[in-house]
Amino acid sequence: MESYQFIPSGSEEILTAYHAAVDGSPPVRCAVLVAPLHEEKKAAHRPLVDLARALANRGCACLRFDPRGTGDSPGVADDLCFSTLRQDLTVAIDQARTLSGLEKVSLLGVRLGADLVALEGLAGTEVDHTLLCVPLISGERYLREVRIRGRIRGAMTTAEGGEEASGRSAGLDYGGHYVSPELIADLEAHDLMVDESPLAARVTCIDIRGRDSMTAPLSALVARLQSRGASVDARVVLDEPFWNALGPIVPRAFIQAVVEILTGREDEAR
Amino acid sequence: MSLSERFIEFVGESGGVLRGILHEPVEARDLPPVIMFSGWGGTRYGPNRILLEAARDLATDGRAVLRVDFRGRGDSDGFVDEHDLRSHIIDGRTMVAWSRRNLADRPPVLLGICSGGEVAVGCIFDGLDVDSVCLWSAPVFAAQATTERVATKRASYLREYGRKLFRGETWRKLIAGEVRFDIIRRVLGKAGVHVKSEDEPAELSAQSDFPARCEAALLIYGTADPIAAEAIQAYQALFSRAGCSTELRHIEGANHGFYALDWKREVIESTRGWLAGRGTAS
């Protein structure tokens, strides 16, 4: 059973989707799924729905949500920054705990969503496990992608993305998504390699790529988290980077891996 | 002025649940509701949130707007790879029926982006009366992946990959083995042209005609969209045969998905202006 609800967050609301455990029994676990931003969010939308349903089939309830100014939630991109994103994540965690009846939840983030998960007070008693799927690690790197993509497309057409947003001061136009000066500043300052946020009891770093070895930046992050005393598992999943897909895809290997990690059972939904 | 947006869900013909958002008009006027159809792989808010932003603006203009995911897309039930243009058209008709039962019992405006435009046209081919249609970057209805079409799109993708070779990031990925050659092969193979299954509708031809009422059509394409020329010609001919007035707007420099803030805004404002004119006329 799935229930969709707008709930208050800050001065506005966020849209939440709660996937109850399918057999109707109390969930064995509950996971909050945190999507990427901008066009990556659109591409990752359905894969995260499929993941939530697969987890619910295995007794793990899930909560998905659209932060303010993204997806179907109220708000505009002008107000989007790390502080609103983190506030919305906190609200989503509370909602997941209320609906599932569980004290602790797991957090799974993809790309920038993974970075937010890593930043969120992980030592809090309410989070028992965080899964970081292909985190950006560095906000500068993301901004570089934004600007490069803009220059390439700009050269191919008359103007596009990653350029100064006309009529707005200091923001960027990322392929039709406005990136506010506040979000740019947050991204410039963001670096998980130097971050000292408290860590969850258990961390799993997941790389998703075409070969069976972890990228150097993610390997370095794993080492960094371990050096801070975290219990970190590293996992490479051979699958498509679904957050970049042009068409509809089902990242089956990724879904299978997460279902196994969170429930210890195989995904048998199909 | 507050916007009223509600989550809605209803059962489609397949028995699965279709889910989406209803934008209620800020100040209701006697205008046909707008039903939005997303693109082939998209969700109800559209690329760069263009459908959501357009819906909010149209609600401010006094229209109810419905944005619902097709089966196997977004939050709706169904599996991703089990659905095609035919099933999307059936879902589109279900959305129209819901609109007529719950919003206003009158022909709606259908607005589709990319493949969503094909769904709008498919609904009219199926005999559904509509007030008007807005097609944003709609490809030729049910177009087969012919050699020529694939070549046109492939050339456009090759230009993009060629430019990527000048990026340091690309060389870093090549050296690190991070470039996904399987994806590149797939993109260049079918070139993003959807290969139709046997059950899907027949491609639009010079003899195609529709049996339903549609008073007016707005066509919007970017001048850098490789599919635009053929689609514009086909749709102008189709609507002309049906006695439906057609207006064409070009977005200078824009690509298929209108991926820039200015282009997005121009598409939305053009549509609002055109619909406002229709509202006055009807």
Side-chain angles (χ1 to χ4, degrees), chain A residues 28-47:
Chain A
V28 291
R29 300 184 75 121
C30 180
V32 176
L33 309 187
V34 188
L37 275 192
H38 305 126
E39 214 56 7
E40 291 184 350
K41 175 175 170 55
K42 189 205 82 178
H45 187 110
R46 182 68 192 197

Side-chain angles (χ1 to χ4, degrees), chain A residues 25 70 72 92 98 107-108 125 139 154 167 196-197 211 222 243 256:
Chain A
S25 58
T70 77
D72 282 313
T98 302
L107 302 182
L108 179 145
T125 53
E196 294 289 343
S197 299
R211 57 191 287 188
V222 170
W243 57 91
Q256 176 79 40

